[in-house]
Amino acid sequence: MIKQKFLIFVGSAVLVLSAVMIYWFYFSKPDSFPADEQLMEEINHVFPEAAVNIIQDTVSMDERHVVVPFISKEDDYGVTYWAWQKHKWQLLAIDTTGEPRLWKIDIKDPSTFYMVWNIHPGDQVDYMKFFIIRDRGYHVTEGIETYNPRVQMEKKVPLEGKSYGVLPLPDEWVSFMNPFIKVGSAQQPSLFFNDFFPEREMFFGWIPYDKLDKQRFPEGSVNGNRYFNGDVDIDFISILNEAEIESPR
Amino acid sequence: MEFNFDFSFNVINIVTGILAWGIIGILAYRFYNKQSVKLKGWKVIVAILVGIFSFSINWNLLETMVKIPLLPLGVWILYLVKGRKERWKYYRSFAWLGFFANFIFLVSTLIAIPVHHALYPEDELSTFISNAEKASIIHLHPSAMDRPLNKGNLLKLLKTMKPEKIYSDQWYQEMNTNFEPSKSNERFPYQLTGTSSKWGSGLDTIIYIEEDGKGVLISTPKKQHYFHSQDSILEGGK
């Protein structure tokens, strides 16, 4: 009897302790974000190519996700991505140039998607247009007809003298994507390959413009190097031509 | 049996699923009472669950995947593990019950399909759009006009809109045969949001609205449905 009680006591103690540990490790409130010098040190340590010279800012998306734009010694404008994970501020990714990317914090929830950029001032970009596009299409399978309307929504973003920025997807985009993802996932026949990749049918794009409303090629913001650390979804946003954009007749 | 890991739930699948498992439970209980040597309860459950494992072929019946069991793999596995032992004869009936359960699931699916069609008819718009009180309109394409939703008309038309044929290639050609490809309208430039499909139907939908507001194109995981009427659900139409 005594032995049994002792075992129960030890068992519950272990259970409580591990619960506390798990909470501390995964769910506890984040520490304050590291100071600029520390950030610089860590970036340059894990990825010397970044050669950070100036930390421009720290931009929080929520209390656990932060973007840090920087300028390198070679005058490149880059972006680093940070998250509070496993009880530490983790450096998730580094882009040495700042063409726009889409950070999917929770890949299943488009309201946690952010467009992130740091455009080189030498590119003389005055504003950008972001697009979400799903191509028009149709197919007939065993007599069942399907028509997919073209989806093309646009968001104009002025730079206003600031090279960097972070923007959540507009509400209307999220309202389209949510049922789109649900219907797409329910289409998957198998139980084990249940991942639906909306990117196969839908994509994000952008067009940079100068002050005179002319499309520009952002020479200084592309062809950078990337550093990745672990499990993070940061997607490419492709540069579009105006010819790829539909306008009403 | 079909699992549905989705937010919207399918009441009929749930009910027939519970019924199927109930029948399996009753059969297992009867077998158990008949036997002179009592196995432990958890061993019975494991034997049934392993027995369910089978090689089956998928058959697409009315847009629903139906699984037809062929080879009792689970029974064979159990036989390999336990077959040489004296007690196999007590396991055997439960293992076969597991395999037989596949047919119970099959029958429950075959019952669920017509019931679903009867309760959630595909030729009625109200199957796909209910709770229209919070409905609103999104512009999916630049050719969308600034025409707000006429909620009164929408609620009225939910009962009267008629299903029509989808002319997918014709619609596509109409939009795309322009000489200047970047100058194009979209036939369905609006999306209706804030609605849900009929309670318990488990149907996920994307609802597109035609440019004149008189047609509704609904994408579901299985197929599309198109409804049309004489009146517009958008304000300010001709």
Side-chain angles (χ1 to χ4, degrees):
Chain A
M1 261 330 246
I2 292 172
K3 198 177 160 195
Q4 209 169 27
K5 270 190 185 163
F6 178 72
L7 277 178
I8 289 171
F9 173 77
V10 169
S12 44
V14 167
L15 220 71
V16 169
L17 216 76
S18 43
V20 170
M21 285 291 286
I22 287 169
Y23 180 84
W24 178 84
F25 195 64
Y26 291 104
F27 302 108
S28 62
K29 278 231 178 303
D31 292 348
S32 58
F33 198 66
D36 289 359
E37 297 78 50
Q38 266 173 281
L39 298 175
M40 220 179 327
E41 213 170 279
E42 184 168 350
I43 299 166
N44 287 338
H45 176 70
V46 300
F47 197 61
E49 278 179 68
V52 180
N53 191 25
I54 300 164
I55 298 281
Q56 290 172 281
D57 199 353
T58 58
V59 189
S60 308
M61 259 122 285
D62 55 45
E63 79 177 341
R64 288 162 187 272
H65 297 90
V66 177
V67 159
V68 178
F70 68 89
I71 304 173
S72 79
K73 295 194 174 84
E74 279 93 48
D75 192 41
D76 277 329
Y77 284 62
V79 179
T80 59
Y81 299 81
W82 302 74
W84 179 257
Q85 286 172 354
K86 298 174 191 161
H87 209 80
K88 183 179 176 296
W89 278 107
Q90 309 270 359
L91 175 51
L92 298 180
I94 303 169
D95 273 319
T96 60
T97 59
E99 63 180 312
R101 305 275 184 191
L102 187 70
W103 188 6
K104 301 172 170 176
I105 290 176
D106 175 359
I107 195 149
K108 291 190 193 83
D109 179 6
S111 69
T112 68
F113 292 7
Y114 291 85
M115 296 180 281
V116 180
W117 64 87
N118 193 4
I119 307 293
H120 197 288
D123 289 336
Q124 295 178 9
V125 174
D126 187 55
Y127 63 92
M128 307 176 285
K129 283 182 180 172
F130 288 105
F131 295 90
I132 180 174
I133 292 176
R134 195 272 306 272
D135 270 329
R136 182 176 296 120
Y138 77 96
H139 55 91
V140 185
T141 318
E142 292 169 23
I144 296 172
E145 302 212 23
T146 305
Y147 171 75
N148 289 322
R150 180 178 172 94
V151 173
Q152 178 189 307
M153 291 189 273
E154 159 181 339
K155 172 83 181 172
K156 186 177 169 180
V157 181
L159 285 185
E160 288 168 336
K162 218 163 81 173
S163 67
Y164 59 89
V166 167
L167 190 78
L169 293 189
D171 290 344
E172 301 209 323
W173 297 20
V174 175
S175 297
F176 169 71
M177 288 180 73
N178 277 330
F180 187 76
I181 290 172
K182 267 196 193 174
V183 169
S185 322
Q187 256 163 6
Q188 303 304 297
S190 165
L191 200 59
F192 299 104
F193 302 97
N194 225 344
D195 281 334
F196 169 66
F197 300 104
E199 292 83 358
R200 262 186 227 151
E201 293 171 42
M202 185 190 79
F203 63 94
F204 295 89
W206 72 300
I207 302 181
Y209 290 92
D210 64 12
K211 273 201 179 69
L212 304 168
D213 299 321
K214 275 243 164 73
Q215 181 170 354
R216 285 198 72 90
F217 185 73
E219 203 116 12
S221 307
V222 296
N223 294 330
N225 289 314
R226 303 200 83 180
Y227 161 88
F228 259 116
N229 174 24
D231 193 13
V232 56
D233 288 292
I234 300 169
D235 280 6
F236 198 66
I237 299 181
S238 38
I239 299 182
L240 302 176
N241 275 312
E242 274 178 348
E244 295 169 76
I245 304 301
E246 282 188 1
S247 53
R249 276 177 207 144
Chain B
M1 185 177 43
E2 205 157 293
F3 289 98
N4 216 347
F5 292 118
D6 215 34
F7 298 103
S8 49
F9 62 101
N10 185 328
V11 164
I12 291 162
N13 279 5
I14 293 171
V15 170
T16 52
I18 290 171
L19 284 179
W21 280 105
I23 291 169
I24 295 160
I26 290 167
L27 288 177
Y29 184 72
R30 288 192 149 192
F31 287 0
Y32 189 77
N33 278 348
K34 268 190 199 156
Q35 287 186 348
S36 50
V37 175
K38 303 286 183 213
L39 295 169
K40 280 190 177 141
W42 70 269
K43 287 184 174 173
V44 170
I45 291 169
V46 168
I48 293 173
L49 291 179
V50 174
I52 289 176
F53 178 57
S54 66
F55 175 79
S56 57
I57 50 168
N58 290 333
W59 177 43
N60 197 347
L61 175 73
L62 299 173
E63 298 123 30
T64 304
M65 273 296 182
V66 177
K67 278 190 172 173
I68 300 168
L70 284 183
L71 306 177
L73 298 183
V75 177
W76 294 346
I77 290 169
L78 266 186
Y79 181 76
L80 284 180
V81 177
K82 292 269 177 193
R84 275 183 226 128
K85 294 191 179 145
E86 169 82 23
R87 294 168 79 83
W88 165 243
K89 59 181 175 198
Y90 305 115
Y91 283 99
R92 194 176 51 198
S93 50
F94 296 114
W96 279 108
L97 175 61
F99 181 65
F100 181 66
N102 287 300
F103 292 95
I104 299 177
F105 295 138
L106 174 61
V107 170
S108 78
T109 308
L110 293 180
I111 292 171
I113 292 172
V115 172
H116 198 278
H117 277 264
L119 283 182
Y120 307 105
E122 292 186 342
D123 55 357
E124 279 174 27
L125 187 56
S126 56
T127 297
F128 305 100
I129 306 176
S130 64
N131 296 324
E133 285 75 20
K134 283 187 200 152
S136 62
I137 287 271
I138 289 177
H139 293 183
L140 292 180
H141 192 272
S143 67
M145 310 278 246
D146 212 1
R147 292 174 57 183
L149 180 70
N150 184 334
K151 230 174 265 181
N153 254 5
L154 173 65
L155 290 172
K156 220 164 40 190
L157 291 175
L158 283 184
K159 290 171 197 125
T160 57
M161 267 194 168
K162 290 275 172 292
E164 300 264 349
K165 189 173 159 28
I166 295 170
Y167 294 97
S168 60
D169 58 339
Q170 193 184 324
W171 293 348
Y172 181 83
Q173 303 307 345
E174 273 169 21
M175 296 300 128
N176 261 23
T177 47
N178 224 308
F179 287 108
E180 214 180 337
S182 65
K183 283 267 179 225
S184 181
N185 287 5
E186 173 49 56
R187 189 183 185 97
F188 296 90
Y190 308 94
Q191 185 192 359
L192 185 70
T193 65
T195 65
S196 52
S197 54
K198 203 169 178 180
W199 187 89
S201 68
L203 283 165
D204 291 311
T205 56
I206 310 173
I207 303 161
Y208 303 99
I209 295 181
E210 210 157 351
E211 50 190 346
D212 60 3
K214 292 176 182 172
V216 178
L217 179 69
I218 297 166
S219 279
T220 72
K222 283 169 188 167
K223 61 191 278 200
Q224 285 186 332
H225 305 271
Y226 178 56
F227 292 86
H228 197 266
S229 84
Q230 297 304 314
D231 294 321
S232 176
I233 59 173
L234 300 176
E235 306 260 19
K238 279 166 260 169

